[in-house]
Amino acid sequence: MDTFFKAIEPYSKLSTEGKRQLKSILKRQERPKGYLLVKHDTVCNNIFFVEKGLTRTYYYKNGRDVTDWFSPENTFACSILSYLSRNPDRRGIELLEDSCLITLQYYEIERLCLQHHDIENFVRQIISDGLIRMQNRFDSLIFETAEQRYKNFNSAFPFLHQRINLGHIASFLGITQETLSRIRAAK
Amino acid sequence: MDTFFKAIEPYSKLSTEGKRQLKSILKRQERPKGYLLVKHDTVCNNIFFVEKGLTRTYYYKNGRDVTDWFSPENTFACSILSYLSRNPDRRGIELLEDSCLITLQYYEIERLCLQHHDIENFVRQIISDGLIRMQNRFDSLIFETAEQRYKNFNSAFPFLHQRINLGHIASFLGITQETLSRIRAAK
DNA sequence: CGCCGAGTTGAACTGAATCAAGAAACGTGG
DNA sequence: CCACGTTTCTTGATTCAGTTCAACTCGGCG
């Protein structure tokens, strides 16, 4: 649990009571590689903090498996559109490695938000941060070439490319595996 | 002001006191067509509610003017990345028509959030909604063709295309003006 | 030793951008 | 109300980045 509380520290200074309350709703689970955390086209009721391991968020586009996001240790995984809108989303989440996860459940979080102003603030900060990331990601899609995005990906997550196969990275970048292979070869 | 409070009603039921507090920080302004609401590469300190008129959020990409978003009556305009992150962003906002705007100032909003739990909750809902929109927009960029996006744009904002010239709409859709002209001609 | 998944390389194809005119719409002043 | 210039929109020809399809290489591993 410590890694979790350390990871969220930057967002908001929770009171001791707030921390205690938050801690009380956390659940931890260990799951093997290949485990399906969230099934596509269902409502995502949890935010997952990855304590150890690696998740892949993906969807199907024209019958093909496309990667939407990777979440390695110390980051969050969630089908955020579904989580917030309470509607099913096409995104599913699977484990690329044996992983250890901490789960935050939607209704528990909402309950705590109503009861504790400092938790409401904390969650607002998390959502704001999510919006900032989303906008940055949108911008990277618009302003950067696939090559730049590949570099950014490598500097944001050094060594991660060694744990993920090329096809998944390519679809995450929005290009074909062949094109990524050529980008790599070109330098 | 009434249109504003009507527009925000779906987000959260503010208390009478919350409404009063919120009302106290609102500012209204009328500005002519062409007026620059937010200068590019500066920090955006306000969220604007468009009571009347039309704004265009834009940026420069490889020396070209590209439209990021339009905000007609009863919607919000903001350089949200800058507003939330407190950093300058490339986006500027201008008026495409004479407009009447209601301004929500960052520091005032933050102050009210700290003081009133129900306003904090309201703002969280607004941000959550923004994240949902952002994700949907991201998805439309990935899953839809320019033609579908043009149709969606027209059904989301009927008649708006009559108030905006083709080049602005095309760059908003992520294609050239020539291509949009051909899409139109094809049906 | 041969199979299998992952990655690379090659050649043809394609959708959209670019470049370049031309047509239509608009508005301002005479 | 018309003439003229400017802006906006359309149409055509060419080019190019990236996809598609297909074959090939490489490194495990039963």
Side-chain angles (χ1 to χ4, degrees):
Chain A
M1 298 279 167
D2 288 349
T3 55
F4 171 74
F5 281 99
K6 200 161 182 185
I8 65 169
E9 235 167 49
Y11 291 108
S12 182
K13 47 269 128 240
L14 285 172
S15 64
T16 316
E17 172 61 10
K19 246 182 211 165
R20 206 183 60 73
Q21 290 286 339
L22 188 58
K23 194 164 194 165
S24 76
I25 65 161
L26 300 180
K27 305 227 188 263
R28 189 212 231 108
Q29 53 180 325
E30 284 194 57
R31 300 290 176 203
K33 172 176 175 170
Y35 182 83
L36 197 64
L37 266 187
V38 177
K39 195 167 138 57
H40 70 93
D41 292 322
T42 65
V43 174
C44 175
N45 287 309
N46 301 292
I47 295 172
F48 302 96
F49 177 77
V50 182
E51 203 172 87
K52 198 201 87 194
L54 177 60
T55 75
R56 183 177 80 98
T57 304
Y58 63 94
Y59 50 77
Y60 288 92
K61 182 185 175 181
N62 305 326
R64 295 176 187 206
D65 175 305
V66 177
T67 298
D68 183 61
W69 194 254
F70 300 107
S71 302
E73 319 62 38
N74 288 313
T75 63
F76 291 92
C78 184
S79 174
I80 194 68
L81 179 58
S82 172
Y83 179 90
L84 290 178
S85 72
R86 312 310 302 144
N87 292 314
D89 183 52
R90 67 195 109 209
R91 288 167 178 81
I93 306 180
E94 64 168 15
L95 300 186
L96 291 186
E97 301 174 357
D98 296 347
S99 304
C100 180
L101 307 149
I102 291 175
T103 303
L104 295 97
Q105 301 161 91
Y106 178 82
Y107 292 105
E108 295 297 318
I109 292 287
E110 290 298 310
R111 182 174 57 77
L112 289 189
C113 276
L114 289 179
Q115 288 169 3
H116 307 277
H117 191 166
D118 66 331
I119 292 187
E120 176 97 53
N121 179 268
F122 164 69
V123 172
R124 177 166 72 96
Q125 304 297 338
I126 295 272
I127 304 281
S128 294
D129 189 65
L131 183 43
I132 291 170
R133 284 163 190 270
M134 192 70 229
Q135 179 78 61
N136 278 325
R137 198 178 166 209
F138 183 87
D139 287 358
S140 91
L141 201 62
I142 290 193
F143 291 106
E144 295 170 2
T145 63
E147 186 170 355
Q148 284 176 304
R149 269 180 275 140
Y150 181 58
K151 282 182 188 162
N152 294 159
F153 172 75
N154 279 329
S155 52
F157 302 109
F159 308 112
L160 198 55
H161 65 101
Q162 295 168 0
R163 295 158 65 185
I164 303 170
N165 62 34
L166 201 65
H168 286 157
I169 297 177
S171 71
F172 168 69
L173 297 174
I175 55 177
T176 60
Q177 171 163 330
E178 291 93 327
T179 303
L180 179 53
S181 181
R182 283 182 247 265
I183 285 173
R184 273 177 156 182
K187 46 146 231 163
Chain B
M1 297 281 166
D2 289 349
T3 55
F4 171 75
F5 280 98
K6 200 161 182 185
I8 65 170
E9 234 167 50
Y11 291 107
S12 180
K13 45 269 124 243
L14 285 172
S15 65
T16 315
E17 172 61 10
K19 247 181 212 168
R20 206 183 59 74
Q21 290 286 338
L22 188 58
K23 195 162 193 167
S24 76
I25 64 161
L26 300 179
K27 304 225 190 267
R28 189 212 231 109
Q29 53 180 323
E30 283 194 56
R31 300 291 177 201
K33 173 176 178 172
Y35 183 82
L36 197 63
L37 264 187
V38 177
K39 195 167 136 58
H40 70 94
D41 291 323
T42 64
V43 174
C44 174
N45 287 310
N46 302 292
I47 296 172
F48 301 96
F49 177 77
V50 183
E51 204 173 87
K52 197 203 86 193
L54 177 61
T55 76
R56 183 177 80 98
T57 304
Y58 63 95
Y59 50 77
Y60 287 92
K61 183 183 176 183
N62 305 327
R64 295 176 188 207
D65 175 305
V66 178
T67 298
D68 183 61
W69 194 255
F70 301 106
S71 303
E73 319 62 39
N74 287 313
T75 64
F76 291 92
C78 184
S79 174
I80 194 68
L81 179 59
S82 172
Y83 179 90
L84 290 177
S85 72
R86 311 311 302 148
N87 291 314
D89 182 53
R90 68 195 107 211
R91 288 167 178 80
I93 306 180
E94 64 168 16
L95 300 186
L96 292 185
E97 302 174 355
D98 297 346
S99 304
C100 181
L101 307 148
I102 290 174
T103 303
L104 295 96
Q105 302 162 89
Y106 178 82
Y107 291 105
E108 295 296 318
I109 292 287
E110 289 300 308
R111 181 173 60 75
L112 290 189
C113 276
L114 289 179
Q115 288 170 2
H116 306 277
H117 191 166
D118 66 331
I119 291 186
E120 176 99 53
N121 179 268
F122 163 69
V123 172
R124 177 166 73 94
Q125 305 298 338
I126 294 272
I127 305 280
S128 294
D129 188 66
L131 183 42
I132 291 170
R133 283 162 191 271
M134 193 70 229
Q135 179 77 61
N136 277 325
R137 198 180 165 205
F138 183 87
D139 287 359
S140 90
L141 203 61
I142 291 192
F143 293 106
E144 295 170 1
T145 63
E147 187 171 354
Q148 284 176 304
R149 269 180 275 139
Y150 181 59
K151 281 181 189 162
N152 294 159
F153 172 75
N154 279 329
S155 51
F157 302 110
F159 308 111
L160 197 55
H161 66 101
Q162 295 169 358
R163 295 158 64 185
I164 303 170
N165 61 37
L166 202 66
H168 286 157
I169 296 176
S171 70
F172 168 70
L173 297 173
I175 56 177
T176 60
Q177 170 164 326
E178 292 92 327
T179 302
L180 179 53
S181 181
R182 281 183 248 266
I183 285 173
R184 272 178 156 181
K187 47 146 232 163

